[in-house]
Amino acid sequence: MSNALQFNTQDGGKSVALTFDDGPDPRWTPQVLALLAQHHAKATFCQIGPHAQRYPYLTKSVVAAGHRLCDHSVHHNEQQSSMPLDYNIHEIADAQQEIANAAGPGAKLWYYRAPGGDFKPVIRNIAAQHGLRPIGWSDDSNDWKRPGVANILDNINRNLHPGSIVLMHDGGGDRSQTVAALAKLLDQLDAQGYTYTFPAR
Ligand SMILES: [Zn+2]
């Protein structure tokens, strides 16, 4: 497993990898899943371990729909790498176990995304040692700032290109703007002939 931060999609070509962080969330994750299903779109969900533990049915729904799971740590500490090695191992490995337990037998965790993009080598090395490819993003929606639906779409379209990894959030607060923006984004991507894939491993 490479410890290099991945910025590209698995399929190349005119594909995009949609990623959703900070869930699962009982209000927003089902709405995101419903929209993705309408468009036959696959995505990657970077889940926080205790959230998966609390809502295992949502983690199972993600897997059942053919999406991929990504570890997004236990405590979402955006200065994770400033902490001792042991803390970092627990942040990554414990969340991996919690998400795997929620997902059920046979489900696979593919990636690690560090909270706040804190991808210092120590973090990437631990992730890789646990079989998780570190994934970044090339296209930040900044949806967590709740700037309005039009601005979320503008943020995405500013950097959208074949092979984009798009960062959005299905947890961590009111995601009504994200859901509304996603509905428009999926219409747009369909019209533009994009296909939906995953980050490369
Ligand atoms: Zn996050």
Side-chain angles (χ1 to χ4, degrees):
M1 176 59 52
S2 168
N3 70 353
L5 192 52
Q6 181 60 264
F7 290 104
N8 297 305
T9 59
Q10 169 184 282
D11 296 357
K14 198 170 181 182
S15 68
V16 63
L18 303 178
T19 64
F20 296 91
D21 288 12
D22 296 0
D25 181 284
R27 177 142 188 213
W28 309 111
T29 304
Q31 296 183 48
V32 168
L33 288 172
L35 284 170
L36 294 172
Q38 280 171 28
H39 290 262
H40 307 287
K42 299 300 182 229
T44 300
F45 289 80
C46 298
Q47 298 191 333
I48 296 172
H51 295 196
Q53 203 169 33
R54 188 164 173 197
Y55 308 110
Y57 65 98
L58 293 173
T59 301
K60 287 186 174 70
S61 296
V62 164
V63 174
H67 306 298
R68 283 189 183 175
L69 290 170
C70 165
D71 179 340
H72 197 41
S73 85
V74 176
H75 293 106
H76 205 276
N77 180 350
E78 298 191 358
Q79 284 85 42
Q80 189 187 323
S81 66
S82 68
M83 302 292 282
L85 179 65
D86 217 44
Y87 174 94
N88 288 308
I89 293 171
H90 276 289
E91 280 297 299
I92 293 169
D94 292 0
Q96 182 179 27
Q97 194 59 54
E98 288 163 355
I99 297 164
N101 288 345
K108 181 178 168 83
L109 268 82
W110 295 73
Y111 314 102
Y112 182 73
R113 178 174 272 158
D118 179 9
F119 275 119
K120 297 219 167 62
V122 61
I123 302 295
R124 289 187 283 104
N125 289 340
I126 296 167
Q129 284 158 10
H130 287 79
L132 305 168
R133 181 70 190 259
I135 55 167
W137 57 85
S138 57
D139 200 339
D140 190 350
S141 71
N142 274 305
D143 61 334
W144 62 273
K145 294 178 180 168
R146 296 197 280 264
V149 174
N151 283 320
I152 292 172
L153 284 166
D154 283 350
N155 291 340
I156 294 169
N157 280 317
R158 195 171 304 127
N159 293 308
L160 182 69
H161 59 274
S164 281
I165 297 179
V166 180
L167 172 60
M168 305 178 85
H169 295 80
D170 66 326
D174 184 332
R175 295 293 169 242
S176 53
Q177 292 184 11
T178 300
V179 170
L182 178 63
K184 291 180 188 293
L185 177 67
L186 290 165
D187 284 340
Q188 177 203 311
L189 292 172
D190 284 353
Q192 291 174 326
Y194 275 94
T195 59
Y196 304 96
T197 185
F198 306 104
R201 270 259 285 192

